[in-house]
């Protein structure tokens, strides 16, 4: 039976058609590969928007963050290839944590795990380890906006990516400002100042290292890591694994989320966990919908 190819409307605008065709070509090249779900798209895009508008405000309060984001959505986000992994890692971590909270509410820690216990009313009564854990929780809290949506804290951003984004934002603002010389000099100073401020800021990576060091000194690392897995306390686990493996928190989070079950013992080897302790982690990751695997060719291409 012949198919009908009658036109149903006007032709797509020229900027839209090439993008649609590229997307279709990528899909036809790997039709059985996993692709982003709408939730993954929305989370990653929201994280990118929050980061861009935050950085715009850091550079110059006069920058119209909404206009900037609208322009970039229409014309393409600069540094997209470098920004995508950071946004995807944060989005997937958020999905993982949300799923765990819904399916298996966090279990209250036992009395032996003092490092994980609720902080005392008077912070002066806390041990050094408890204060380090509280500082880690506070650093994690900065990775959300005021409404509880996932975000990337400036202190946690890769310095090279931070500089690239700041320069992209400054270039956009200068283009709208007709390349004013005074404005260019001010923005250059702002880019440098923001980068320097990040170097002195304390983010989740620094707090993870401090907490990890105290647990090592006290001989509690394996017990606390195992307790974190048992309670589905993934921020603590990721932080300790990142510090133990000398990796950034975001890199370790993505490595765990995209790892095959057989790779988890290798990733977490510095924590000295037994196979039984890893079982809840394996089960939690296996239940994450639309999870990309590092060994899957679709994981890198379709994931971002």
């Amino acid at each position: 039976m012949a198919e009908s190819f009658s036109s149903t409307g006007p032709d797509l605008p020229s900027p839209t058609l090439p993008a649609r065709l590229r997307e279709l070509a990528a899909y036809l090249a790997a039709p059985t590969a996993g692709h982003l779900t709408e939730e993954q798209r929305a989370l990653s895009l929201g994280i990118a928007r929050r980061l861009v508008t935050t950085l715009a405000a850091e550079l110059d309060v006069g920058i119209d963050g909404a206009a900037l984001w609208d322009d970039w959505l229409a014309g393409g986000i600069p540094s997209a290839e470098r920004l995508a992994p950071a946004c995807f890692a944060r989005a997937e971590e958020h999905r993982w944590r949300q799923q765990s909270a819904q399916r298996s509410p966090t279990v209250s820690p036992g009395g032996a795990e003092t490092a994980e216990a609720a902080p005392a009313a008077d912070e002066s009564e806390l041990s050094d380890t408890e204060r380090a854990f509280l500082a880690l929780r506070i650093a994690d809290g900065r990775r959300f906006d005021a409404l509880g949506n996932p975000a990337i804290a400036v202190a946690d951003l890769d310095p090279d990516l931070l500089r690239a984004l700041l320069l992209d934002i400054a270039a956009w603002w200068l283009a709208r400002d007709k390349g004013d010389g005074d404005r260019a000099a001010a923005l250059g100073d702002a880019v440098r100042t923001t980068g320097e401020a990040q170097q002195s800021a304390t983010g989740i990576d620094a707090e993870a290292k401090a907490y990890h060091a105290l647990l090592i000194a006290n001989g509690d690392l394996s017990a606390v890591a195992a307790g974190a897995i048992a309670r589905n306390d993934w921020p603590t686990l990721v932080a300790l694994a990142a510090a133990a493996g000398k990796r950034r928190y975001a890199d370790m989070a993505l490595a765990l989320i995209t790892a095959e079950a057989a790779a988890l013992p290798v990733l977490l080897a510095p924590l000295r966990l037994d196979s039984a302790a890893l079982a809840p982690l394996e089960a939690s990751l296996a239940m994450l919908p639309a999870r990309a695997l590092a060994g899957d060719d679709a994981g890198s291409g379709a994931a971002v």
Side-chain angles (χ1 to χ4, degrees):
M1 178 177 176
E3 295 181 351
S4 173
F5 293 93
S6 60
S7 174
T8 59
D11 292 337
L12 290 171
S14 57
T16 306
L17 180 57
R20 290 288 200 280
L21 293 179
R22 284 194 298 271
E23 183 180 352
L24 178 58
Y27 176 74
L28 292 177
T32 61
H35 294 272
L36 285 172
T37 65
E38 287 304 312
E39 180 187 26
Q40 289 171 318
R41 289 179 188 274
L43 279 172
S44 294
L45 202 60
I47 290 165
R49 177 180 58 79
R50 285 185 279 278
L51 177 60
V52 167
T53 54
T54 295
L55 292 178
E58 291 271 349
L59 274 184
D60 188 327
V61 294
I63 295 178
D64 187 340
L68 164 66
W69 184 247
D70 287 345
D71 275 4
W72 280 9
L73 276 185
I77 301 172
S79 302
E81 290 188 2
R82 301 174 67 178
L83 178 60
C87 293
F88 186 70
R90 184 68 187 92
E92 289 297 271
E93 181 203 355
H94 184 72
R95 288 203 310 128
W96 181 28
R97 291 168 62 169
Q98 287 290 98
Q99 172 197 257
S100 297
Q102 292 167 2
R103 298 194 182 201
S104 304
T106 300
V107 179
S108 299
E113 297 172 79
T114 57
E116 306 294 311
D122 184 354
E123 190 172 339
S124 65
E125 298 176 8
L126 297 176
S127 68
D128 289 344
T129 305
E130 288 169 333
R131 278 195 291 270
F133 177 69
L134 179 59
L136 178 66
R137 284 299 196 199
I138 292 172
D140 181 52
R142 297 192 186 105
R143 302 168 66 242
F144 296 86
D145 70 3
L147 298 177
N149 297 308
I152 299 175
V154 176
D156 300 330
L157 198 61
D158 177 79
D160 291 336
L161 177 56
L162 171 63
R163 179 170 176 79
L165 289 172
L166 290 173
L167 291 174
D168 289 336
I169 294 169
W172 176 86
W173 187 231
L174 283 175
R176 285 175 62 98
D177 206 33
K178 310 301 182 185
D180 179 84
D182 292 338
R183 176 75 67 184
L187 284 173
D189 290 340
V191 168
R192 182 174 61 257
T193 300
T194 303
E196 292 172 349
Q198 189 213 30
Q199 293 177 11
S200 60
T202 303
I204 197 166
D205 290 306
E207 301 297 1
K209 291 176 184 177
Y211 186 40
H212 173 264
L214 284 170
L215 294 177
I216 286 286
N218 296 334
D220 294 333
L221 177 61
S222 296
V224 170
I229 293 176
R231 295 190 310 280
N232 291 343
D233 181 3
W234 307 133
T236 297
L237 175 67
V238 173
L240 294 178
K246 296 178 171 53
R247 302 175 70 165
R248 297 178 67 88
Y249 180 100
D251 294 339
M252 179 55 74
L254 188 60
L256 286 174
I257 292 168
T258 60
E260 298 277 8
L264 291 176
V266 178
L267 281 171
L268 299 178
L271 299 181
R272 301 180 182 275
L273 299 167
D274 59 38
S275 57
L278 292 178
L281 171 63
E282 295 174 5
S284 176
L285 290 172
M287 290 188 293
L288 184 63
R291 181 166 72 103
L293 295 177
D296 185 351
D297 291 339
S300 58
V304 291

